[in-house]
Amino acid sequence: MELKVTLKDPKKSDYFYEEAIKTLRTNIQFSSKQVKVVLLTSCYPNEGKSDIAFSLSLEMGKAGKRVLLMDADIRKSNFIKRYSVNQTIQGLSQYLSGQVERQWIIYQTNFPNVDMIFAGPLAPNPSELLSDPAFGELLEEKRKEYDYIFIDTPPIGNMIDAAIVAEKSDGAVMVIESEAVSYSVAQKSLSQLERSGCKILGAVLNKVDMKKDKYYSSYYGRYGDYYKHK
């Protein structure tokens, strides 16, 4: 039996946003054929990582790649509300806690080539659940079925969850909100990811005010070779 879900994307069409997502997709595709499991995280909440994970998954699906989008933010997921899911969903927390089998948490979406695993109900011990061997087993099984697995994780600046997921991932993308994150905080977050042994693929400088050219140029230059995203 195949589970299905309908997602409604609330974002309005934006040429620059869409072009930035295409650039991110291309950079990931060219990073290495060994990179299949990619996590996305940020320093703080509300920097836009979930939107980027969703848009990147859709763009990769449009390119003909089979994609699994996994919401591993068991602490505070907003996917069901943001994308107007109107049906009962079983998710990752229920699988990792032994309540359901893995085949009952994978949903075919209404977007081409994109399947999804939702976070599931809030759990009191997210880091322990993500450390369970069942999570690694799930990833190992699904990496054989999908071209890419994109994992949305909680901000690494506040929780250890992203570092745990990073240990089982092939690469990581950091989402950094323009003018909201200091250089030292960004560096500390990147160092946490690096200590997990996960390859840093790059970062998305998000919510950039393109009218502030002078500031944008200096900020971009300071952080180095990052993907630009409006």
Side-chain angles (χ1 to χ4, degrees):
M1 177 179 168
E2 197 169 61
L3 303 176
K4 296 184 178 182
V5 65
T6 298
L7 305 173
K8 297 178 181 178
D9 189 353
K11 292 190 303 299
K12 296 179 180 179
S13 179
D14 183 311
Y15 172 80
F16 295 104
Y17 178 95
E18 292 164 4
E19 287 301 306
I21 292 296
K22 288 177 182 177
T23 299
L24 178 58
R25 180 206 71 198
T26 301
N27 281 326
I28 289 175
Q29 286 180 294
F30 278 93
S31 60
S32 169
K33 64 179 182 180
Q34 305 301 325
V35 174
K36 298 189 69 174
V37 180
V38 178
L39 76 88
L40 290 93
T41 190
S42 58
C43 300
Y44 300 124
N46 303 315
E47 292 190 71
K49 64 177 176 57
S50 297
D51 282 344
I52 292 171
F54 181 78
S55 297
L56 175 60
S57 297
L58 267 55
E59 188 59 41
M60 197 68 83
K62 290 178 185 176
K65 302 298 183 181
R66 190 156 187 233
V67 177
L68 177 63
L69 172 59
M70 180 184 298
D71 182 4
D73 193 347
I74 298 173
R75 298 176 187 270
K76 190 180 179 182
S77 173
N78 65 357
F79 268 94
I80 288 179
K81 181 179 180 180
R82 180 164 180 76
Y83 298 103
S84 303
V85 177
N86 298 316
Q87 64 197 74
T88 301
I89 295 292
Q90 297 187 109
L92 186 62
S93 63
Q94 289 156 300
Y95 161 66
L96 295 177
S97 58
Q99 298 178 54
V100 295
E101 298 295 324
R102 66 185 68 164
Q103 67 264 30
W104 301 114
I105 64 169
I106 300 172
Y107 292 81
Q108 181 186 69
T109 75
N110 51 307
F111 295 97
N113 301 314
V114 179
D115 292 347
M116 181 160 186
I117 294 178
F118 292 87
L122 174 67
N125 56 341
S127 57
E128 291 178 24
L129 290 179
L130 293 170
S131 298
D132 192 280
F135 183 64
E137 292 166 7
L138 173 65
L139 288 179
E140 284 307 306
E141 178 184 272
K142 296 307 167 188
R143 69 161 62 238
K144 299 173 185 175
E145 300 176 16
Y146 293 90
D147 296 306
Y148 290 97
I149 300 174
F150 295 120
I151 309 176
D152 180 36
T153 68
I156 197 168
N158 296 341
M159 294 95 175
I160 195 174
D161 302 20
I164 294 172
V165 175
E167 293 176 354
K168 302 174 177 65
S169 302
D170 304 322
V173 173
M174 176 74 72
V175 176
I176 299 172
E177 181 179 349
S178 178
E179 301 189 63
V181 179
S182 69
Y183 178 74
S184 60
V185 169
Q187 286 294 101
K188 182 180 178 181
S189 297
L190 287 168
S191 295
Q192 283 181 272
L193 282 175
E194 289 171 343
R195 284 197 295 272
S196 72
C198 184
K199 179 181 180 181
I200 308 298
L201 301 180
V204 175
L205 187 58
N206 197 27
K207 301 183 182 180
V208 174
D209 185 346
M210 301 301 285
K211 296 178 181 178
K212 294 185 178 181
D213 290 338
K214 184 177 180 181
Y215 174 82
Y216 176 75
S217 298
S218 61
Y219 193 91
Y220 177 71
R222 190 176 187 187
Y223 275 99
D225 190 17
Y226 288 172
Y227 306 134
K228 293 179 281 186
H229 169 228
K230 181 181 177 184

